[in-house]
């Protein structure tokens, strides 16, 4: 995303997930939100904020457990939505300025990761999770005097700190 002037330094993101499981297996749903900026390099125009929200189904399996500590593998898939604010910019063309809409984008997203969990008092667990997600976007960029249109695959890495409560039903 850096090639398209997105701010790609690590930043805080947040979300929530709910799982239902039995034994070493669990399945659930996750909502995730992050944001960044995209530098357009247009004089007199603010760089738009880009908000990314995703809704994903998640499958999780405990791979190893020892003295209450556990390692889990996960796979996820769902939809990601990107929105810009402001959602339009004015481009100077040397003549009449042109209004360009930054339309929302919705695409499929998939990921895989590992999580480490440790028990806390009661039915609580603390965790640390790492995940790699990928999605594809239609792109356009200048190539010499022309514009090249393509579909490119992008990815992001997430590191999550979690607090989980388990209920035995």
């Amino acid at each position: 995303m850096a090639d398209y002037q997105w701010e790609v330094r690590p930043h805080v993101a947040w979300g929530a997930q709910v799982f239902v499981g039995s034994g070493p297996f669990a399945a659930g749903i996750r909502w995730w939100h992050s944001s960044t900026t995209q530098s357009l390099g247009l004089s007199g125009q603010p760089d738009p904020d880009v908000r990314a929200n995703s809704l994903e189904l998640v499958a999780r399996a405990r791979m190893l457990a020892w003295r209450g500590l556990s390692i889990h593998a996960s796979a996820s898939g769902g939809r990601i939505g990107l929105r810009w604010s402001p959602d339009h910019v004015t481009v100077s063309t040397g003549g009449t300025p042109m209004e360009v809409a930054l339309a929302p984008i919705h695409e499929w997203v998939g990921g895989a990761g590992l999580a480490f969990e440790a028990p806390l008092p009661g039915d609580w667990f603390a965790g640390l999770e790492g995940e790699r997600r990928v999605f594809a976007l239609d792109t356009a960029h200048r190539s010499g005097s022309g514009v090249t249109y393509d579909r490119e695959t992008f990815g992001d890495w997430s590191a999550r700190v979690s607090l989980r409560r388990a209920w035995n039903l």
Side-chain angles (χ1 to χ4, degrees):
M1 306 293 299
D3 290 344
Y4 294 92
Q5 290 78 41
W6 288 46
E7 175 58 58
V8 294
R9 289 182 295 196
H11 59 276
V12 174
W14 51 276
Q17 53 188 9
V18 176
F19 286 96
V20 174
S22 178
F25 302 104
I29 191 165
R30 173 193 305 141
W31 178 78
W32 193 247
H33 171 82
S34 66
S35 61
T36 188
T37 58
Q38 183 176 13
S39 175
L40 299 179
L42 299 173
S43 62
Q45 295 288 310
D47 289 335
D49 293 323
V50 183
R51 295 182 308 269
N53 292 308
S54 64
L55 186 61
E56 302 166 65
L57 297 176
V58 183
R60 187 171 170 166
R62 185 175 59 238
M63 306 301 292
L64 182 65
W66 178 74
R67 294 189 179 188
L69 303 174
S70 58
I71 300 174
H72 305 260
S74 66
S76 62
R79 297 286 283 177
I80 188 169
L82 304 172
R83 292 186 181 273
W84 283 259
S85 179
D87 62 357
H88 67 281
V89 294
T90 304
V91 178
S92 176
T93 61
T96 304
M98 181 187 310
E99 286 287 321
V100 177
L102 302 173
I105 297 172
H106 297 90
E107 291 290 343
W108 293 103
V109 62
L114 286 176
F116 301 88
E117 283 193 343
L120 297 173
D123 293 328
W124 291 91
F125 295 83
L128 180 61
E129 181 177 353
E131 183 181 41
R132 174 73 170 165
R133 297 186 322 157
V134 295
F135 54 94
L137 296 175
D138 293 326
T139 61
H141 61 275
R142 187 169 300 281
S143 179
S145 63
V147 176
T148 299
Y149 298 95
D150 204 357
R151 183 146 181 95
E152 294 185 47
T153 301
F154 298 95
D156 65 22
W157 286 97
S158 295
R160 297 185 186 97
V161 175
S162 66
L163 181 62
R164 177 175 71 88
R165 176 136 198 264
W167 286 277
N168 292 320
L169 304 175

